[in-house]
Amino acid sequence: MNLDIIEKGYYEVWVDGKKVSQHSKSLKASMRGQEEQNKNKDAEVIVKQPNLKIELTLSDDESDIESLKLKIEELQKKEIMYLSIIESLKNSSGSGVVTPVDSTLAFPSAIGAGAYVTGGRGGTVVHVTTTQDNVAGSLREALTMTVKREIVIDVSGVFTLNSLLALGTSNSDFTLNGQSAPEGGITIDGDRVYIESVNQCIVRHVRFKGGIDADNTPNSGDGLGNDSLTVTGDITNQIWDHCSFGFGADECASWYTTNSSRTVNNLTVQRCLFTESVKGCIIGKEEDVFDVEGKITFVNNLFYNSGYRYPNIAGTGYRFDIFNNVSWSRTGRLIRGNGSFKLNHQGNYYDFGDSSVWAINDQRLQLFSYGQIPQIYTTGNKIVSSNLGTPLTNTLAEMNADNTLSWKRFNFGDPTYGDQLPSNYFTGSQFSLLGKSTTILTADEALANVSIDVGCNKRLNADGTTSANIDTLDADALNQIKLGNYTTPLDKSSYNVPSITSVSRGGTYYVSNSHIPEAYITAKGLTGTSTIHTELAPSGYTWLEEFLNEVDE
């Protein structure tokens, strides 16, 4: 079995048209080249660039595939090569196909399972020039295109949808750069955004707040409301960064599928703000359908007055990293989990507020339901509440010292609802962090860190500097947290999107290049040309990406 790779990178291994992750025989790898060499009894590694040929052959010997993978990763650390074989080969006589996954981060601050998503990198640059819906230059036109694309926003304001904004598989491969919008940014209102089976998607600095106006059943005209963002079907290779979600008649946002043939994999949701909604978030895949591919990171997000589900997670055979998130709300449960997932649950800060109506008790903690057995690594999480209800088996101090004590059974109407989960549901060892790793903060550090950098909060100036760009609703939520205040959640009748003065780009914003502002080209000492946006900066990103990534500084 010969596998030819024509570019370096981070690779997934496929055999006979199917990605495989289990092996019945061991794997030997020989990598032929002419520059660097490292030999051992299991593998010979010689690197040649730019064309790297890797031959992977099945073997009947007893060598351990995991040790071989570790050796390859060690070579990577020594900068002999940048290669990680992340899936092994199943016994097969067919030919194999190696699918490259770009080793460049989606953007410099990307972490977790979706950190290496490519989105619209290298595609057509599409400009949104109007807040109107379903016309030339509209957001709908840009998102529903069927080409790989980088979407740049040249007008700020409230984008009011006239109907459901639905994307499907043919609309994959895009990056939505909300940080490129002028003063005020971009808020989506009027209806929900519904994304089904989209692959390769990067979304940054966008507000989604139209769920209250949506149909519960899409296009039915029932007007009952739903999530402000729904992502479903195959949810693969996506990262959502610094987005604000609110005014959902169900969840603020959800990344969830109930279809047994669908997969949720390589997904990161980071530094997103979930405010004023009936419920928080559901993420994963309906339990009971085994799926080894699910890798999900949910990190540095904040829930404010968004009911419960912080988030709910599900997946049989899935891996979740949930760390350094904050909830600040007077209502409801925290996480509820379903399925035999493996979970890192670390450094999260949960503040129940001062509500006597929703006083903390055994049925309003971390919950797990149904008959499967997960493996939960839980440590460093902190629960805060000024009102304690009954029944409450353990004190806050006890639960914060031993986080396993905060995990209870979820089973409405059953006397076991609120019972302690058995010890075999937990593990004392952390799972390796998914994708691009990061330092995990303490819960108190997470509160301080996340509450000052979350949601749609920045925009780019023409010279690449940044300015604050937070709307009044989000600003008030974060200010209440800063002051230590607890407020009554808004009634759905009060879900009103803050107005934004619409600003459009002037005629001198783009001069020598149609996609990068002239002030940025000048600030970087570049020579502006019609193609400079496609040229590589020293960082390895294109100069267009380099400009868009300045929001990370």
Side-chain angles (χ1 to χ4, degrees):
M1 180 183 301
N2 292 332
L3 308 178
D4 289 352
I5 299 176
I6 60 173
E7 63 182 272
K8 66 179 181 177
Y10 183 54
Y11 294 91
E12 296 177 348
V13 178
W14 293 61
V15 175
D16 295 336
K18 181 179 180 182
K19 187 168 70 175
V20 293
S21 58
Q22 297 183 1
H23 63 280
S24 56
K25 291 190 176 182
S26 62
L27 174 69
K28 281 187 177 180
S30 74
M31 301 163 206
R32 303 290 183 214
Q34 61 185 13
E35 291 184 3
E36 296 286 341
Q37 179 171 315
N38 181 294
K39 293 184 178 182
N40 57 57
K41 66 179 182 180
D42 291 319
E44 178 181 82
V45 180
I46 308 175
V47 177
K48 181 177 76 173
Q49 299 295 353
N51 294 317
L52 175 66
K53 181 175 180 179
I54 299 181
E55 297 176 356
L56 302 175
T57 57
L58 295 171
S59 172
D60 289 322
D61 65 27
E62 299 301 321
S63 61
D64 181 7
I65 187 171
E66 293 300 324
S67 68
L68 176 58
K69 288 164 66 178
L70 289 173
K71 285 168 184 153
I72 292 174
E73 290 170 0
E74 186 63 26
L75 291 173
Q76 174 183 332
K77 293 176 184 177
K78 294 177 181 177
E79 298 183 353
I80 296 175
M81 60 187 296
Y82 193 87
L83 172 71
S84 175
I85 297 176
I86 61 172
E87 303 290 358
S88 59
L89 289 175
K90 189 183 290 184
N91 183 23
S92 170
S93 60
S95 61
V97 177
V98 173
T99 302
V101 180
D102 199 314
S103 60
T104 303
L105 290 170
F107 44 85
S109 62
I111 58 176
Y116 296 98
V117 169
T118 57
R121 178 175 298 146
T124 301
V125 183
V126 178
H127 290 258
V128 174
T129 57
T130 178
T131 61
Q132 296 182 57
D133 189 27
N134 207 23
V135 298
S138 66
L139 179 65
R140 184 184 296 269
E141 179 186 60
L143 285 174
T144 56
M145 288 181 176
T146 56
V147 296
K148 179 180 285 191
R149 57 215 182 276
E150 287 271 5
I151 301 173
V152 174
I153 313 296
D154 286 331
V155 59
S156 63
V158 177
F159 291 65
T160 303
L161 303 177
N162 298 324
S163 60
L164 181 80
L165 176 48
L167 281 66
T169 303
S170 64
N171 308 123
S172 298
D173 302 302
F174 71 87
T175 302
L176 178 56
N177 297 289
Q179 73 272 26
S180 65
E183 183 179 359
I186 170 174
T187 297
I188 301 174
D189 190 18
D191 212 313
R192 69 169 161 163
V193 177
Y194 187 94
I195 299 177
E196 183 173 8
S197 295
V198 164
N199 181 47
Q200 291 295 352
C201 159
I202 301 171
V203 180
R204 308 190 72 190
H205 289 275
V206 178
R207 307 180 194 97
F208 297 81
K209 298 188 177 181
I212 190 63
D213 300 318
D215 292 336
N216 183 56
T217 302
N219 301 316
S220 66
D222 60 36
L224 297 176
N226 211 299
D227 302 353
S228 288
L229 171 74
T230 298
V231 186
T232 190
D234 284 317
I235 307 170
T236 54
N237 300 307
Q238 297 187 14
I239 185 165
W240 297 75
D241 171 68
H242 280 94
C243 292
S244 294
F245 306 102
F247 296 165
D250 195 12
E251 283 82 31
C252 286
S254 59
W255 293 263
Y256 186 68
T257 185
T258 60
N259 189 320
S260 62
S261 64
R262 303 302 185 187
T263 292
V264 185
N265 192 35
N266 295 337
L267 169 65
T268 291
V269 180
Q270 63 176 47
R271 293 203 179 272
C272 291
L273 178 59
F274 300 77
T275 63
E276 299 295 355
S277 195
V278 176
K279 306 182 189 77
C281 172
I282 300 180
I283 192 164
K285 179 177 179 177
E286 188 174 33
E287 70 288 344
D288 297 331
V289 181
F290 187 74
D291 192 337
V292 296
E293 296 185 31
K295 301 177 184 70
I296 299 168
T297 300
F298 193 87
V299 55
N300 296 331
N301 302 293
L302 192 149
F303 296 93
Y304 178 85
N305 282 356
S306 50
Y308 49 98
R309 301 179 178 173
Y310 300 152
N312 277 13
I313 62 175
T316 298
Y318 270 44
R319 266 283 290 111
F320 289 92
D321 285 340
I322 298 180
F323 58 89
N324 291 157
N325 302 287
V326 175
S327 70
W328 190 280
S329 181
R330 283 175 159 176
T331 59
R333 301 180 296 268
L334 305 177
I335 292 175
R336 194 191 92 196
N338 302 328
S340 60
F341 51 75
K342 295 178 179 178
L343 166 65
N344 285 326
H345 175 236
Q346 298 171 257
N348 299 286
Y349 187 99
Y350 303 105
D351 197 319
F352 277 83
D354 59 359
S355 174
S356 59
V357 176
W358 286 91
I360 187 174
N361 64 38
D362 285 338
Q363 297 181 353
R364 294 181 183 143
L365 296 169
Q366 319 288 357
L367 300 171
F368 181 86
S369 57
Y370 307 132
Q372 298 184 16
I373 299 177
Q375 287 294 286
I376 301 171
Y377 178 71
T378 181
T379 187
N381 304 289
K382 184 175 182 178
I383 298 174
V384 177
S385 179
S386 58
N387 278 295
L388 305 182
T390 57
L392 188 63
T393 306
N394 299 99
T395 66
L396 291 182
E398 289 171 337
M399 289 187 287
N400 289 335
D402 179 359
N403 289 169
T404 65
L405 299 176
S406 67
W407 281 87
K408 310 294 183 181
R409 286 201 178 276
F410 178 83
N411 193 351
F412 272 133
D414 190 280
T416 63
Y417 185 17
D419 284 0
Q420 175 64 37
L421 289 186
S423 60
N424 64 326
Y425 282 48
F426 302 98
T427 177
S429 301
Q430 181 192 51
F431 300 103
S432 297
L433 294 179
L434 298 169
K436 174 68 167 59
S437 63
T438 188
T439 300
I440 298 178
L441 306 177
T442 68
D444 287 324
E445 289 171 339
L447 173 64
N449 178 281
V450 174
S451 61
I452 61 172
D453 184 15
V454 70
C456 178
N457 63 355
K458 287 183 183 179
R459 63 178 173 86
L460 288 165
N461 299 312
D463 62 356
T465 60
T466 62
S467 294
N469 206 41
I470 190 167
D471 76 4
T472 56
L473 181 78
D474 292 357
D476 180 67
L478 298 179
N479 188 53
Q480 297 301 335
I481 294 173
K482 179 181 178 180
L483 296 173
N485 294 337
Y486 307 106
T487 61
T488 301
L490 293 177
D491 183 79
K492 287 193 292 184
S493 62
S494 299
Y495 285 1
N496 299 313
V497 169
S499 62
I500 299 172
T501 300
S502 183
V503 177
S504 296
R505 294 267 152 75
T508 61
Y509 189 79
Y510 303 111
V511 179
S512 60
N513 184 271
S514 300
H515 311 300
I516 301 177
E518 192 68 17
Y520 186 72
I521 292 173
T522 300
K524 291 297 181 181
L526 304 174
T527 299
T529 67
S530 61
T531 59
I532 193 171
H533 64 284
T534 66
E535 298 172 12
L536 292 182
S539 65
Y541 293 102
T542 65
W543 276 110
L544 175 59
E545 289 179 296
E546 188 79 356
F547 168 66
L548 295 169
N549 290 342
E550 295 286 358
V551 75
D552 284 14
E553 296 301 322

